[in-house]
Amino acid sequence: MMLGENKRATLRFGVAGNPPHFWDSEFRKDRGYAPAWLRSIGLDALEIQCTYGVRTPDSRAALFREQADEHDIALSIHGPYYITLGTEDPQKRENSLRDLRKSIELAKKVGSRRVIFHPGGAGKDREGSLVRAIDALRVLEVEDEFGDVELFPEIAGKVGQLGSLEEILTICSEISHAWPCLDLAHLHAREGGSFHVQADYEQMFDRIEAALGTEAFDRLHIHMYPIEWGPKGEVRHISLEGAPWTDEPRYEPFLDILAARNLSATVICEAKNSQDIGALTMQAAYRALSP
Ligand SMILES: [Zn+2]
């Protein structure tokens, strides 16, 4: 490599949770073999879903770690959905922190550096909820049990949830170890359909850079899939099984920007029951762009 020449960006594409094709495969005997299955179809990232609690036994965590190492799969952990950090209820806040601690522990066990989570409801007092959510995360910050793990609060699909782009950027600028999980479908849905052309994505990157600096671009964690939305934001994730990706947000202008800016990223597809199809679609489109 010549001095001053930029290193080629690395894009990893992967799935959140195991789609039906995994359960149809020879790897289905244990979800800890999901990394081997992903490698067999050419993908490189897996978000382990702890939707209803962090209950992965240590034996499976060890299998995830071994399989991810062997097959070069980047792992991330998605914390439970009932985390709600902005709550005024001290018990719910404690439970939410407990769930985040368990998610961080699991990340360490599987050798992952990323814990993704939803900050939770915004309640009637949106600003108060945001302040309480940041205060709750400060408890973890003070404990400093992160090791190599970083937190990725995710943009929320419903307007009633904490997690506009600005709110996520505020959390990340206040809390060390926190970086945005850019769920582009959620952002599109909660903003009433905001991603159409390259300039829309450019604007998002500019807002991120203004808030967090270019360091944020070293840790781009993206969720991308077609979504249906209404006045309150997200309605449902759309399936790509047997149907091309014709709904918004469109992935092509987004991939164009990543290529033009030479940005590395992990791109996770959350299309309903067809995460692998969406991830492979985006990977093929990106490869077609890259020289
Ligand atoms: Zn998401």
Side-chain angles (χ1 to χ4, degrees):
M1 193 190 298
M2 279 171 57
L3 207 64
E5 188 186 336
N6 274 338
K7 211 172 139 236
R8 183 100 221 114
T10 311
L11 247 67
R12 285 179 176 267
F13 292 91
V15 299
N18 292 314
H21 286 159
F22 168 77
W23 297 110
D24 294 341
S25 79
E26 59 182 303
F27 301 98
R28 65 170 175 250
K29 58 183 182 280
D30 192 306
R31 64 186 74 217
Y33 289 111
W37 171 70
L38 288 165
R39 180 52 59 206
S40 77
I41 61 171
L43 293 175
D44 358 73
L46 171 65
E47 196 144 298
I48 299 172
Q49 300 271 56
C50 300
T51 314
Y52 301 110
V54 184
R55 295 200 214 97
T56 308
D58 281 355
S59 56
R60 178 171 290 151
L63 185 59
F64 268 127
R65 183 180 198 120
E66 171 207 295
Q67 292 289 309
D69 277 351
E70 185 179 336
H71 299 288
D72 184 27
I73 303 295
L75 297 179
S76 46
I77 303 293
H78 197 303
Y81 281 109
Y82 38 71
I83 285 173
T84 177
L85 293 168
T87 178
E88 286 185 275
D89 179 337
Q91 190 56 49
K92 282 190 186 158
R93 169 187 142 121
E94 252 334 289
N95 292 346
S96 298
L97 285 173
R98 184 201 57 206
D99 282 330
L100 269 180
R101 289 187 191 100
K102 285 167 91 174
S103 303
I104 293 167
E105 275 315 301
L106 179 60
K108 288 179 184 169
K109 283 181 194 165
V110 303
S112 162
R113 297 181 157 202
R114 296 183 175 184
V115 167
I116 321 303
F117 67 98
H118 296 281
K124 291 196 178 96
D125 167 25
R126 194 160 198 118
E127 265 172 53
S129 295
L130 180 61
V131 170
R132 283 189 291 276
I134 291 168
D135 284 347
L137 290 169
R138 281 209 203 291
V139 174
L140 296 181
E141 195 177 33
V142 169
E143 288 169 5
D144 196 21
E145 299 284 331
F146 288 94
D148 287 335
V149 179
E150 296 185 305
L151 293 179
F152 289 74
E154 176 175 342
I155 290 170
K158 294 197 172 79
V159 178
Q161 296 165 324
L162 273 186
S164 66
L165 177 59
E166 294 313 321
E167 285 163 345
I168 294 297
L169 293 177
T170 301
I171 292 172
C172 295
S173 58
E174 292 285 331
I175 300 294
S176 52
H177 313 288
W179 302 92
C181 170
L182 302 167
D183 189 311
L184 302 179
H186 280 168
L187 189 55
H188 184 74
R190 73 175 294 134
E191 292 186 343
S194 53
F195 287 132
H196 307 287
V197 295
Q198 284 193 31
D200 303 323
Y201 292 103
E202 281 284 5
Q203 204 185 32
M204 174 188 73
F205 280 127
D206 291 345
R207 284 156 79 187
I208 294 167
E209 187 174 346
L212 306 175
T214 52
E215 249 191 295
F217 298 152
D218 297 335
R219 300 163 171 84
L220 286 177
H221 197 87
I222 313 288
H223 289 175
M224 183 58 145
Y225 50 94
I227 195 167
E228 186 185 317
W229 72 92
K232 291 179 180 169
E234 172 181 12
V235 175
R236 64 181 186 101
H237 296 208
I238 290 172
S239 170
L240 294 168
E241 179 73 62
W245 187 332
T246 50
D247 295 279
E248 290 196 303
R250 303 296 311 168
Y251 57 88
E252 299 93 333
F254 173 66
L255 295 175
D256 286 344
I257 299 288
L258 290 182
R261 291 195 175 204
N262 199 34
L263 292 173
S264 294
T266 297
V267 182
I268 299 288
C269 184
E270 295 185 330
K272 185 178 187 227
N273 288 338
S274 50
Q275 305 92 303
D276 49 334
I277 299 171
L280 289 166
T281 301
M282 289 189 279
Q283 184 188 57
Y286 182 73
R287 284 185 179 160
L289 289 175
S290 305

